[in-house]
Amino acid sequence: MAQRFVVVSDNGESWVLGGDPDDGDFTSGKDDQHALPQLLKDGWSSKMVTPGSGTKDDSSYWLVLLEK
């Protein structure tokens, strides 16, 4: 079973953690901050969500473990 981590922001942006080299679609260009919706569409499912904290601009982040 394949796994990957995605960081999700409260503003709707999401990206593959570490820019996995196999995820070229998500590491640069227009789709680099919209990884989660595409991965879910591609059949990945959420297995664990870890809440993060805000930063100086009060954004919140979550670490999501996906499996396929």
Side-chain angles (χ1 to χ4, degrees), residues 5-45:
F5 286 99
V6 174
V7 177
V8 180
S9 172
D10 62 358
N11 69 3
E13 295 177 344
S14 58
W15 54 94
V16 175
L17 185 63
D20 188 333
D22 294 332
D23 295 320
D25 291 343
F26 305 117
T27 56
S28 63
K30 64 183 176 69
D31 292 329
D32 63 345
Q33 294 180 345
H34 302 287
L36 185 60
Q38 185 60 48
L39 290 167
L40 294 173
K41 182 179 175 183
D42 291 344
W44 290 84
S45 61

Side-chain angles (χ1 to χ4, degrees), residues 25-68:
D25 291 343
F26 305 117
T27 56
S28 63
K30 64 183 176 69
D31 292 329
D32 63 345
Q33 294 180 345
H34 302 287
L36 185 60
Q38 185 60 48
L39 290 167
L40 294 173
K41 182 179 175 183
D42 291 344
W44 290 84
S45 61
S46 172
K47 295 300 174 186
M48 182 181 68
V49 177
T50 304
S53 61
T55 61
K56 65 180 179 179
D57 62 0
D58 295 324
S59 294
S60 295
Y61 298 91
W62 294 264
L63 180 64
V64 180
L65 173 63
L66 300 177
E67 288 185 348
K68 185 172 184 183

